[in-house]
């Protein structure tokens, strides 16, 4: 079975900082990866799909890259409203829908 | 606008059953797959089940296979999750969500969630 890991598990950064989260798959998953944001007490929100495509309406400071086993999620300039937990999600045609363990982002 | 409203959560004893509902509006229900995703208190997201747009295929997480059943009623634009033989580890907020794209994996709209607590 494919395993998904995320690092770091949590981070604290200042407003305006560039934030990077990595998601690693235990085997090649092509570009079959999405990223979600979940603010405290709220439902998740789709930000990035197919590893690098920005969902409609999502601010351009959010971005994604990678393929195969290593993926990166970036916030180019952290804003106070970006306090949330971010999850990667692998999918395939079995179908599999597998979420990573999440990365909690705080603002210093 | 797309709205998904879950209901049916509550406190239930281990071994008993519960049925969750999700009322969908603001989109053509019959053209989207629908998911249930859960989140145990203080934990991450766990996918539970998906039903294809036409109800032709249903898939489950191993943790609920044989105990949970996903279904949809297109006449009522409603998604269901029948949960039997409930266990303490099923305690979670259950989200109803819409899926699109390849294997309907892009989960683009979510409900607010309904809390299920399994406890004696």
């Amino acid at each position: 079975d494919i395993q998904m890991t995320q690092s770091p598990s949590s981070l604290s950064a200042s407003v305006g900082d560039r934030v990077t989260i990595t998601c690693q798959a235990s085997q090649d998953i092509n570009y079959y990866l999405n990223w979600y944001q979940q603010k405290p007490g709220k439902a998740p929100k789709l930000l990035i799909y197919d590893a690098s495509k920005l969902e409609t309406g999502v601010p351009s400071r959010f971005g994604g890259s990678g393929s195969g086993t290593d993926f990166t999620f970036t916030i180019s300039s952290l804003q106070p409203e970006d306090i949330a937990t971010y999850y990667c999600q692998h999918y395939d045609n079995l179908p599999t829908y597998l979420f990573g363990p999440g990365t909690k982002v705080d603002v210093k | 606008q797309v709205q998904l409203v879950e209901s049916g959560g509550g406190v239930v004893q281990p071994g008993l059953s519960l049925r969750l509902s999700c009322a969908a509006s603001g989109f053509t229900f019959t053209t989207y797959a629908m998911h249930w995703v859960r989140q145990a208190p203080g934990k991450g997201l766990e996918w539970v089940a998906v039903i294809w747009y036409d109800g032709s295929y249903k898939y489950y997480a191993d943790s609920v296979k044989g105990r949970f059943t996903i279904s949809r009623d297109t006449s009522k634009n409603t998604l269901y999750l029948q949960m039997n033989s409930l266990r303490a580890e099923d305690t979670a907020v259950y989200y109803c969500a819409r899926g699109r794209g390849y294997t309907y994996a892009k989960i683009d709209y979510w409900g607010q969630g309904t809390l299920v607590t399994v406890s004696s």
Side-chain angles (χ1 to χ4, degrees), chain A residues 16 27 32 58 62 70:
Chain A
Q27 58 186 272
Y32 300 142
V58 172
F62 296 103
D70 296 300

Side-chain angles (χ1 to χ4, degrees), chain A residues 45-62:
Chain A
K45 175 184 177 182
L46 177 64
L47 299 182
I48 302 289
Y49 64 93
D50 295 347
S52 61
K53 298 176 182 176
L54 194 66
E55 177 71 350
T56 302
V58 172
S60 58
R61 65 179 180 275
F62 296 103

Side-chain angles (χ1 to χ4, degrees), chain B residues 6-115:
Chain B
E6 302 95 337
S7 60
V11 180
V12 60
Q13 293 183 337
L16 298 187
S17 300
L18 203 62
R19 189 178 81 157
L20 305 183
S21 300
C22 171
S25 61
F27 66 101
T28 305
F29 186 64
T30 53
T31 62
Y32 287 88
M34 297 297 296
H35 297 264
W36 288 100
V37 177
R38 69 185 181 182
Q39 187 169 37
K43 302 298 184 182
L45 301 170
E46 180 188 15
W47 174 78
V48 173
V50 64
I51 184 169
W52 256 217
Y53 65 97
D54 58 358
S56 59
Y57 291 95
K58 305 174 185 181
Y59 298 96
Y60 300 90
D62 287 344
S63 58
V64 307
K65 202 172 294 181
R67 300 187 298 123
F68 289 12
T69 301
I70 190 172
S71 62
R72 61 196 299 162
D73 185 336
T74 55
S75 69
K76 297 181 179 179
N77 280 6
T78 300
L79 176 73
Y80 300 101
L81 185 68
Q82 177 67 42
M83 304 185 295
N84 298 334
S85 303
L86 282 161
R87 307 167 180 168
E89 54 265 36
D90 296 319
T91 294
V93 173
Y94 285 74
Y95 293 102
C96 155
R98 187 182 86 167
R100 71 170 208 265
Y102 179 59
T103 72
Y104 309 110
K106 299 169 189 56
I107 304 176
D108 61 357
Y109 284 93
W110 301 63
Q112 83 288 350
T114 188
L115 176 62

Side-chain angles (χ1 to χ4, degrees), chain A residues 13-80:
Chain A
S14 299
V15 172
D17 282 355
R18 183 180 185 86
V19 169
T20 299
I21 297 168
T22 63
C23 178
Q24 189 168 53
S26 58
Q27 58 186 272
D28 189 337
I29 61 169
N30 203 339
Y31 60 86
Y32 300 142
L33 190 94
N34 301 327
W35 288 95
Y36 296 83
Q37 174 194 64
Q38 186 179 30
K39 295 183 178 181
K42 300 295 186 182
K45 175 184 177 182
L46 177 64
L47 299 182
I48 302 289
Y49 64 93
D50 295 347
S52 61
K53 298 176 182 176
L54 194 66
E55 177 71 350
T56 302
V58 172
S60 58
R61 65 179 180 275
F62 296 103
S65 63
S67 66
T69 60
D70 296 300
F71 300 84
T72 300
F73 172 81
T74 302
I75 307 173
S76 61
S77 177
L78 187 68
Q79 301 301 304

